[in-house]
């Protein structure tokens, strides 16, 4: 039996998202999959929400909340490191623990791909993923991202370094 596709909505950050953003940004378990390894204060995050323009050309990034059909926030998606000359950007996505393995990541990435092509007019998106993150590698591979490079000793978990994979999709 085929699993029904989750329906999600991407939306801009609102001041009411501060607690969710704070929880995700300060989740030390996520620090190993990204470049952040320090906690963020509520003040800094409140300021970020208040001053983000949601203009990829000005901010060089767009951060969006991922909502399910009930309007509940299930995660956050980032299109960052935007390069306006080459029309490419890096994609980051976090689905909150309580909502993982329910199809939200697939639905969100599919929507981000549509948004990146039709609204942002990007030529490509890429991700950098820990080689041990088989769930992410499978998800992005299923959505036509191709592994194009191995970045040796790219990520540190505080004890040892791990290789990362660069995966790209041409839109």
């Amino acid at each position: 039996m085929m699993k029904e596709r989750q329906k999600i909505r991407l939306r801009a950050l609102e001041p009411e998202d501060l607690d969710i953003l704070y929880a995700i940004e300060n989740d030390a378990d996520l620090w190993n999959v990204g470049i952040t390894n320090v906690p963020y204060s509520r003040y800094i995050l409140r300021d970020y929400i208040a001053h983000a323009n949601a203009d990829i050309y000005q901010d060089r990034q767009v951060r969006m909340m991922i909502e399910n059909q009930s309007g509940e926030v299930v995660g956050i998606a980032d299109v960052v490191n935007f390069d306006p000359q080459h029309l490419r950007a890096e994609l980051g996505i976090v689905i909150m623990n309580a909502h993982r393995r329910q199809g939200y990541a697939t639905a969100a990435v599919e929507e981000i791909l549509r948004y990146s092509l039709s609204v942002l007019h990007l030529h490509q998106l890429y991700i950098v993923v820990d080689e041990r993150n088989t769930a992410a590698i499978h998800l992005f591979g299923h959505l036509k991202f191709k592994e194009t490079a191995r970045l040796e000793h790219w990520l540190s978990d505080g004890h040892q370094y791990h290789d990362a994979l660069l995966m790209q999709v041409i839109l």
Side-chain angles (χ1 to χ4, degrees), residues 4-147:
E4 184 179 329
R5 282 257 191 246
Q6 289 289 0
K7 292 190 181 1
I8 59 96
R9 179 175 82 102
L10 300 175
R11 65 162 176 80
L13 273 78
E14 298 289 347
E16 298 78 24
D17 296 321
L18 178 61
D19 289 338
I20 294 169
L21 189 60
Y22 182 81
I24 289 174
E25 291 293 352
N26 290 294
D27 183 348
D29 291 338
L30 297 174
W31 292 351
N32 291 337
V33 298
I35 60 169
T36 300
N37 61 0
V38 295
Y40 285 93
S41 71
R42 287 184 188 280
Y43 175 81
I44 288 173
L45 294 172
R46 186 179 299 115
D47 188 63
Y48 171 78
I49 292 171
H51 293 99
N53 294 309
D55 178 351
I56 198 165
Y57 281 91
Q58 186 172 351
D59 296 338
R60 296 293 193 253
Q61 65 179 354
V62 174
R63 174 168 272 185
M64 297 167 283
M65 303 306 284
I66 305 165
E67 288 185 344
N68 64 15
Q69 277 187 286
S70 302
E72 180 182 14
V73 173
V74 298
I76 297 178
D78 297 314
V79 178
V80 299
N81 297 326
F82 171 61
D83 182 331
Q85 179 180 355
H86 302 291
L87 295 174
R88 67 176 168 242
E90 182 175 358
L91 171 59
I93 185 170
V94 173
I95 301 297
M96 296 163 56
N97 285 336
H99 302 286
R100 290 188 182 154
R101 305 190 71 74
Q102 296 176 36
Y104 291 118
T106 299
V109 172
E110 288 174 340
E111 187 62 28
I112 292 163
L113 290 170
R114 280 190 287 281
Y115 175 78
S116 296
L117 179 62
S118 64
V119 176
L120 301 178
H121 307 291
L122 295 181
H123 174 66
Q124 69 175 285
L125 283 172
Y126 65 92
I127 63 162
V128 176
V129 62
D130 189 314
E131 69 176 348
R132 300 169 300 161
N133 190 343
T134 55
I137 293 166
H138 176 76
L139 166 73
F140 286 100
H142 174 73
L143 294 171
K144 309 296 187 231
F145 281 74
K146 297 196 180 344
E147 178 185 334

